[in-house]
Every structure is written in C-alpha cells, then in structure tokens.
Amino acid sequence: MRDPGHDAGSSLQWLLPALVLLAVAGAYLLLVRRARRRNPAQGWSRWRTGWFLAGTVLLAVALLPPVAPFAHEDFRGHMAQHMLIGMYAPLAFVLAAPVTLLLRTLPAARGRQLTAVLRSPPARLIAHPAVALVLSTGSLAVLYFTPLYNTTMGNLAAHWLLHAHFLLSGCLFAYVIA
C-alpha cells in the first residue's frame, strides 16, 4: 500500500492531525468549563468528559505514528486503524454526549435553532437505523469493491475525507444503536 502522506517526507505530515485533535479536545473542555460555570449544581459528568478524551486518544492512536504508517504497510494495521476510527472512537464520542453539552452551553435561541435542525425530516432520515447502517457498513463495500480504494490511497485529501466519513458514520451508527 502506498502512504499518501509519505510524499511530504517529514514528520510534519503528522502535525496537522495532532493539532486538530488537540483543538477539538480543548474546545470540548472549554464547553465543559462553561457548562459547570452556568449551572454548578448540575455541572457536567466527569465520565462524559473522560469518554470524550478517550475517543480523542483512540483517534490519535489511529491517525498518528506508529499505527498510521503501519496501516499503510500492512493490512492488519489498516484494519486496526479503521476499527479505531470507525468503531471504538465513535462509541466513546457518543458516550461523551457532545451535542448535549453544546445545547447546555449555547444561548437559548441558538439551542432552539440547533434542536430544530436535529429534529428536521432530513436529520431524522439520516438518523434512521437502516440509513446509519448503510452509511457505516455499506461504505466499506463501496470502498473495497470499486476503484475508490486506490484513489484514496493515492490522494491525501481523499484519504483524510475517507477517515472523516468513517468517523462520522461510526458516530451516527453508535448514536442510533446506543
């Protein structure tokens, strides 16, 4: 397998994913702090915060060395990476309830707008268990039984988009099932 990031030739290729993961974890922790300040009696569950940080660590393990380079050299590493991105990290993120945290910290008007989007017919369609299953597992068939796999291995942007799809569809499926 060809590593799409190998052309960069340095460890800088791992810097952007690491920075993004740190920024996402930092944003979640800031929202936790805001939720605790807004309602000290209710606060925010330390378990949920722990789940979010665990999900971030699982993503870091999948996207950074030594697993990421191994995933491009060996099919076992490739499958381990996709299990971490598409199954384990999403489960941790769903248990962290980031949308609930966001709703607790948004002003009431913005919270109502977000709730309206989440309850809209398109959102309900996407969150249907059958649709979530097709997005999560059906995409694997499309990936491995079409030329898409070779395309994503030769194009760094396509490769990262594929990882984002696995993560988001995994989160959707874990949410629908849990």
Side-chain angles (χ1 to χ4, degrees):
M1 288 186 225
R2 183 173 170 260
D3 180 356
H6 186 67
D7 299 331
S10 73
S11 63
L12 290 178
Q13 64 187 342
W14 309 115
L15 184 61
L16 182 60
L19 290 175
V20 168
L21 290 171
L22 284 172
V24 168
Y28 186 90
L29 292 173
L30 284 173
L31 289 176
V32 167
R33 185 173 163 212
R34 183 182 295 172
R36 287 185 177 151
R37 272 191 285 143
R38 276 194 171 180
N39 190 348
Q42 191 174 14
W44 187 250
S45 167
R46 293 186 194 282
W47 284 103
R48 287 186 175 181
T49 303
W51 280 116
F52 193 87
L53 295 175
T56 305
V57 167
L58 289 168
L59 271 182
V61 168
L63 298 175
L64 301 172
V67 172
F70 179 56
H72 296 290
E73 299 166 0
D74 189 286
F75 191 70
R76 294 170 298 174
H78 178 82
M79 291 287 75
Q81 184 182 50
H82 283 276
M83 294 285 285
L84 287 166
I85 294 171
M87 293 181 75
Y88 299 126
L91 183 57
F93 287 137
V94 168
L95 291 171
V99 175
T100 303
L101 176 61
L102 185 59
L103 287 169
R104 283 191 183 182
T105 58
L106 283 174
R110 294 279 184 212
R112 283 190 290 275
Q113 290 173 340
L114 178 57
T115 301
V117 169
L118 294 174
R119 291 183 177 169
S120 69
R124 278 195 256 146
L125 174 68
I126 290 172
H128 188 278
V131 174
L133 178 66
V134 167
L135 286 172
S136 184
T137 60
S139 60
L140 294 172
V142 171
L143 176 66
Y144 292 116
F145 296 120
T146 68
L148 183 61
Y149 178 74
N150 288 331
T151 301
T152 61
M153 291 310 294
N155 182 315
L156 185 60
H159 190 76
W160 285 106
L161 283 173
L162 181 66
H163 284 270
H165 167 77
F166 282 142
L167 177 65
L168 295 174
S169 65
C171 286
L172 177 65
F173 187 66
Y175 167 76
V176 167
I177 297 304

